[in-house]
Amino acid sequence: MANLLNRTLQRLEKHLQNLIEGSSARLFPAYDFQKELSNQLIKDMQSEIRSTPDGSLIAPDLFTVFLPVEQAKIFQDQPELLDGLANCLLQACQDAQARYLSEPIIKIVPNPEQDHPGIQIVAQFSLTQKEETSTLEPLGVSTGEEPDQRAFLIVDGVDIFQLDGKIVRIGQNKENDLVINHPQVSQEHAQLRLVNGQYTIFDLNSTEGTFVNGVKVSQSLLSPGDVISLGGLPVVFGFENRPGLDETQEIAPGS
């Protein structure tokens, strides 16, 4: 079974890379850009892909792509590029005998922050697909190095949530890793991702936005002591410097 999954993943990676890079002259005139885009899509799709009991693979169907402002404007001015990219994702899965539960959707988010000039992608299952995939385990493809110290979040000044995973989903939806029952927090509000040993937070088009140290962000690299605001709810990011922190899975503000 493991060999079958590995072969399917390898086929998916090969087909997706060939399709995107092979379409570069028509879709993406800058070679470096389309190369980085294909690599990020492959990595982030693999981080969320699920395996069924019969060994088939189900790929995430929602991709949020954070791009520098100028590159994001290209997609905004030429929406057919998104259709072409979504078709690449769909065809790659079909060629690799993997599947989507619904046709892939790609959202482009302009990222004006100079600290993140490259491409960042968050792959996830849409809300309509979460129930069908909730009992399936992700394959656990590595998306970054282990942090030097164990990180944690302090939610609303009271509850401590240890960051054990390379991807941590935050929001009101019960399928999130950190469930926050707060009226201003979106169902799928934000996501933390471990990239090169450091955590970065991504806002997932939330209604009230995500702020770091008072500044609204689409994504932001986190440092110890940073104060994150999710719909007005304060969350402090830190590194563990003492033993005995209790892991909390569901947070009710003020509890």
Side-chain angles (χ1 to χ4, degrees):
M1 183 69 72
N3 289 336
L4 176 61
L5 292 176
N6 288 333
R7 287 197 300 270
T8 305
L9 279 174
Q10 289 169 3
R11 286 199 305 271
L12 179 59
E13 180 175 343
K14 179 180 179 181
H15 284 297
L16 183 56
Q17 192 163 17
N18 287 342
L19 283 167
I20 294 178
E21 295 180 11
S23 301
S24 61
R26 180 172 58 88
L27 296 178
F28 315 108
Y31 177 80
D32 289 343
F33 172 69
Q34 57 84 10
K35 180 77 171 180
E36 183 180 0
L37 180 62
S38 66
N39 289 340
Q40 285 290 334
L41 276 170
I42 290 165
K43 182 176 72 173
D44 286 271
M45 179 188 286
Q46 288 183 340
S47 72
E48 286 295 319
I49 208 161
R50 300 292 199 268
S51 173
T52 64
D54 65 2
S56 62
L57 298 183
I58 299 178
D61 61 330
L62 178 59
F63 299 84
T64 305
V65 182
F66 298 85
L67 292 174
V69 175
E70 291 185 3
Q71 292 176 338
K73 190 175 186 301
I74 294 174
F75 283 93
Q76 293 168 345
D77 293 341
Q78 303 179 63
E80 68 275 8
L81 294 182
L82 282 182
D83 294 334
L85 187 55
N87 285 334
C88 286
L89 292 171
L90 188 61
Q91 187 177 340
C93 269
Q94 292 172 344
D95 292 343
Q97 297 180 340
R99 62 190 175 98
Y100 294 100
L101 294 177
S102 61
E103 291 192 6
I105 297 172
I106 302 172
K107 297 180 179 180
I108 301 297
V109 178
N111 180 26
E113 299 172 41
Q114 298 301 315
D115 291 341
H116 301 276
I119 300 170
Q120 295 286 347
I121 299 173
V122 174
Q124 59 189 134
F125 288 92
S126 59
L127 285 176
T128 57
Q129 308 302 330
K130 278 188 175 291
E131 185 174 348
E132 293 187 59
T133 59
S134 61
T135 60
L136 303 178
E137 290 296 324
L139 295 184
V141 178
S142 177
T143 59
E145 300 172 1
E146 294 293 338
D148 294 333
Q149 297 172 280
R150 196 172 188 186
F152 62 90
L153 300 174
I154 302 176
V155 182
D156 203 21
V158 177
D159 299 288
I160 296 175
F161 179 88
Q162 292 186 342
L163 300 176
D164 294 325
K166 295 182 175 66
I167 299 175
V168 179
R169 305 162 189 83
I170 305 173
Q172 285 204 55
N173 189 281
K174 297 295 184 180
E175 300 299 329
N176 286 299
D177 302 295
L178 174 55
V179 180
I180 300 181
N181 295 320
H182 186 281
Q184 302 303 314
V185 173
S186 296
Q187 293 293 311
E188 307 287 330
H189 196 110
Q191 189 177 104
L192 290 176
R193 298 177 72 86
L194 186 61
V195 180
N196 297 325
Q198 293 181 286
Y199 277 103
T200 296
I201 190 167
F202 295 85
D203 179 77
L204 300 180
N205 293 321
S206 63
T207 302
E208 299 297 330
T210 298
F211 295 76
V212 175
N213 299 326
V215 178
K216 189 174 184 179
V217 299
S218 56
Q219 66 177 98
S220 180
L221 186 67
L222 295 177
S223 299
D226 281 348
V227 178
I228 305 162
S229 177
L230 305 173
L233 183 76
V235 178
V236 179
F237 175 79
F239 284 135
E240 182 177 330
N241 55 12
R242 57 184 174 82
L245 293 177
D246 293 325
E247 185 171 342
T248 304
Q249 291 298 324
E250 181 166 347
I251 308 295
S255 62

